[in-house]
Amino acid sequence: MTVHVASHRKPRQRSLSGSTARTALTLVLAGAATATVFDGTGHAAPQPAPEQVRARVDRLYQEAEAATEKYDGAREQADAAGKRLRTLGDEAARGQARLNAARDALGSIAAEQYRNGGIDPTVQFLLSDDPRHYLEGAELAERAGARQTAAVAGVHRELRRLDQVRGAARTELASLRSRQAELRRHKKTINTKLDEARRLLARLTPPQRLAIGEDPAAGRASRSTAGARVALGAPGPDAAPAAGAPASRAAAAVAYAYQKLGSPYVWGATGPDAFDCSGLVQAAYRSAGIALPRTTYAQIGAGRRVSRSALRPGDLVFFYSGISHVGIYVGQGQMIHAPNPSAPVRLAPIDQMPFAGATRVA
């Protein structure tokens, strides 16, 4: 008879196959996620209220505009440095031509000396690739005749002048590169601020955006523009400057600003179809025959300072402690300005922002 003896050995554990291991890991992670949800630690951060979004977006726009004014200033400096560099390049080319002519004069002396029995060693030195060393010696003039001395002096003078021009060009090139680096920094700051503002606004529904004064179709023409003109007694797009205006140029600038109502805000733009705040002011007065600086912090010093109580149409009104925003006063406590990327050029009360000062330029 066969006796079956039950085995008391511990059953061998089987290793998990790849798919089984993945299934187990998924269950563990799902359990952990469930536990996190139930204990409350996995809840998403609460959505900020529309008013909080509005305050944060306003702050971002202000910071972006301050960076825009710095960008505009750096670009103006870069343009000026580039223009000076081109001028110096032209001057260097003319200097090189003069140097070549002076060395040609020495060459003619050398040819003449060769025909007469030899070339003065001094002239040989001056016609070499690097004559500077030989121009420094005081005995040079003593060894040369009058004609040769004049030719040597001409080479010496042109070399010195050319060195000065090239030194100035190196300085301008360094300045240009510095301004270009500054432009890149300010551009990055502007884009970062505006991108964050767009992300915040994108979380709001269209009704919420309207409730906080943010037009979802901000690129469209300014609302009630014609009505605003009539209400303020302001000139229409084709009107000539009023005869009774404080100054014809100021009236012309105001008329230009009214014509641009509804134009989009674009940072760094000076018209004719898009503007930033100081770009609109500059373009308006340029149309009236007055050249203004490019930036707000330069524009505030471009004319005579006036008090808020003495404002007249055409005066420039500035805002924030850093003088980072500007508009054109049009009367009755109103201005025309380019606000920010969320709104086109429009009319607004001057008490909408912290008033910093005013300037009369015409």
Side-chain angles (χ1 to χ4, degrees):
M1 180 175 63
T2 303
V3 179
H4 296 279
V5 180
S7 173
H8 295 286
R9 287 179 299 172
K10 188 176 181 179
R12 188 177 63 179
Q13 294 180 340
R14 292 183 299 170
S15 61
L16 292 175
S17 67
S19 60
T20 305
R22 285 192 296 272
T23 302
L25 179 60
T26 301
L27 292 173
V28 170
L29 293 176
T34 302
T36 300
V37 170
F38 280 110
D39 69 13
T41 60
H43 289 161
Q47 179 77 5
E51 294 76 14
Q52 293 174 309
V53 172
R54 171 79 274 168
R56 178 59 181 154
V57 166
D58 284 346
R59 181 64 181 171
L60 287 167
Y61 283 153
Q62 182 189 343
E63 292 170 351
E65 190 161 53
T68 296
E69 291 304 311
K70 293 177 181 177
Y71 174 92
D72 291 341
R75 186 170 67 176
E76 191 173 45
Q77 292 174 341
D79 290 345
K83 184 177 180 180
R84 289 192 299 268
L85 188 59
R86 289 190 294 272
T87 299
L88 288 168
D90 293 340
E91 188 175 345
R94 291 192 296 271
Q96 185 66 55
R98 288 193 299 267
L99 176 60
N100 292 341
R103 295 189 71 182
D104 287 344
L106 279 176
S108 66
I109 292 173
E112 182 179 340
Q113 289 179 345
Y114 180 77
R115 286 193 299 270
N116 293 333
I119 300 177
D120 190 313
T122 302
V123 176
Q124 294 181 21
F125 293 150
L126 287 173
L127 294 176
S128 67
D129 290 336
D130 187 10
R132 289 173 177 78
H133 174 73
Y134 306 104
L135 292 172
E136 300 300 330
E139 73 279 7
L140 181 62
E142 297 176 358
R143 297 177 57 189
R147 180 183 173 198
Q148 184 170 307
T149 300
V152 168
V155 172
H156 197 179
R157 182 174 57 254
E158 295 304 333
L159 280 170
R160 186 168 57 249
R161 185 182 300 171
L162 191 56
D163 281 345
Q164 291 172 347
V165 171
R166 287 172 174 167
R170 285 191 293 270
T171 300
E172 289 300 338
L173 180 59
S175 174
L176 177 59
R177 287 173 175 169
S178 176
R179 296 290 81 76
Q180 289 172 334
E182 188 177 354
L183 282 172
R184 289 190 293 270
R185 290 195 301 271
H186 292 318
K187 184 175 182 179
K188 182 178 180 180
T189 298
I190 294 164
N191 286 330
T192 298
K193 302 292 184 184
L194 296 183
D195 287 346
E196 185 177 351
R198 280 190 286 268
R199 284 194 298 271
L200 287 169
L201 292 171
R203 297 174 187 172
L204 301 180
T205 64
Q208 286 176 322
R209 292 183 66 173
L210 285 173
I212 61 173
E214 189 77 22
D215 189 353
R220 293 201 306 251
S222 179
R223 297 186 295 271
S224 303
T225 296
R229 287 198 186 104
V230 172
L232 290 174
D238 301 319
S248 60
R249 290 187 174 185
V254 169
Y256 179 93
Y258 271 105
Q259 292 173 21
K260 298 304 176 180
L261 286 171
S263 299
Y265 178 102
V266 174
W267 62 267
T270 59
D273 301 316
F275 305 88
D276 62 18
C277 71
S278 56
L280 174 64
V281 166
Q282 187 185 50
Y285 269 96
R286 184 171 58 238
S287 74
I290 295 178
L292 290 181
R294 177 63 183 92
T295 62
T296 52
Y297 42 84
Q299 288 172 354
I300 197 171
R304 178 170 62 88
R305 296 294 289 271
V306 294
S307 66
R308 182 168 178 167
S309 61
L311 286 173
R312 298 191 314 205
D315 290 346
L316 309 185
V317 283
F318 298 87
F319 303 91
Y320 301 108
S321 59
I323 317 297
S324 60
H325 190 74
V326 63
I328 300 176
Y329 186 69
V330 295
Q332 300 186 25
Q334 299 281 316
M335 66 176 171
I336 294 177
H337 71 143
N340 55 58
S342 73
V345 174
R346 63 184 180 186
L347 283 159
I350 63 171
D351 59 4
Q352 191 175 67
M353 292 171 284
F355 187 82
T359 293
R360 182 166 299 152
V361 296

